[in-house]
Each structure stands twice: as C-alpha cells, then as structure tokens.
Amino acid sequence: MSNSGVAGFNQTQLGKMIRDKNFSITPYISDITQGVSGYAIGDGFESALQLLNLYFTSPRKDAEVWKTYISQAQSALTRNANAPGSVYQDTVLAVLGNYAPRSMPATADKLNAASLDKAYDFYKARFADASNFTFTFTGDFSVNAIIPYRQPT
C-alpha cells in the first residue's frame, strides 16, 4: 500500500511533490506489528505530519502497482525456486515456525490468490485509528515547537 501513494497522488506524483523536502514517512505492516517510520529535518516536520495524516485517512489503492508487485514476486519465486540458499532458508523458516501458515514460503498459488481489495481492507483496518499508535519523536527540537501540531482530544 505504501507504494500506491496517498489520496489522489500516485507514488510518482507524491515523489515529485516531496523530492526537495527534508522528510520521509513510510507506513509498514510486519508479522506482528504495524507502524510508521520516518524522519523530518527542520521545516519538513509539518509536511511530514501532513503526509502521515494522509496515510491514515486517505490510503490509495493502485491496481497497476499491485500487478507490478505480484509480477515481481512471481519472478522472484521462479528465479529462486531451485536456488539452494532459498530452498534452505524456506525450509528453516517453515521448521522454526512449526509449519504455521504465516511461516511457510510464498507459492505461485498463494500469489495468484492474493487480492488487492483484501490487502487494501487489511491496511485500512490496521491504520483506521491513529489513537492506538504510540508516536515517539527524537531529535533536536523543543516540545513547545511541536505542540501546535497536536490533534485536540
């Protein structure tokens, strides 16, 4: 989803808009957590928070990005199908994961069964409410300088 852009902007348009800005925001979903990583330097803080808000309120579903992602994943499966290192890694992960579905390697059938709508709904469910997130800010700033950006409760 993070490769699809936000709101009405695809990833290319978004990249052009923020190219000269001093910030980066990237949402992620891992096996057991979800979150947002990023940074902002100087005057990029407000823009970073605006983009962060868009990732929560206006994620974008891009069918072309999805097709490209699935195609690249299928190519990687084909390329690594008989590579000893990949076969070994897949086996180790399956055994250590006790053959749980999430520990099993990707297959062509699993990729073919994947759905953009399901992925989008999953993302939206995880990022539906920012109040469940803990935000940690580090760096050279004063608390009073960022207080004005706080959402009223």
Side-chain angles (χ1 to χ4, degrees):
M1 296 308 305
S2 64
N3 291 332
S4 293
V6 292
F9 305 104
N10 67 32
Q11 191 63 19
T12 301
Q13 293 166 327
L14 185 59
K16 288 178 182 177
M17 288 175 19
I18 66 174
R19 179 179 31 226
D20 297 328
K21 308 286 186 199
N22 290 321
F23 74 90
S24 174
I25 296 292
T26 306
Y28 65 87
I29 299 175
S30 69
D31 287 343
I32 58 174
T33 64
Q34 62 271 338
V36 180
S37 62
Y39 70 87
I41 300 170
D43 63 352
F45 186 73
E46 182 174 1
S47 297
L49 290 181
Q50 290 171 350
L51 182 57
L52 174 65
N53 181 60
L54 288 174
Y55 276 122
F56 275 97
T57 61
S58 302
R60 186 168 188 274
K61 183 167 44 170
D62 189 322
E64 289 305 312
V65 168
W66 177 259
K67 288 176 190 172
T68 299
Y69 178 80
I70 295 297
S71 175
Q72 290 172 344
Q74 288 170 334
S75 294
L77 281 178
T78 301
R79 187 175 51 254
N80 295 327
N82 296 316
S86 293
V87 172
Y88 176 76
Q89 180 180 3
D90 289 347
T91 302
V92 168
L93 292 174
V95 170
L96 292 176
N98 200 27
Y99 299 95
R102 291 182 65 139
S103 69
M104 299 303 290
T107 64
D109 288 340
K110 288 179 184 178
L111 286 175
N112 291 333
S115 158
L116 172 58
D117 290 333
K118 187 173 180 180
Y120 182 75
D121 290 343
F122 187 84
Y123 176 92
K124 285 187 69 165
R126 296 300 175 273
F127 287 85
D129 185 357
S131 69
N132 292 326
F133 281 70
T134 300
F135 293 90
T136 304
F137 298 92
T138 62
D140 185 17
F141 63 89
S142 71
V143 173
N144 290 336
I146 65 171
I147 291 282
Y149 300 107
R150 183 176 62 93
Q151 181 73 16
T153 55

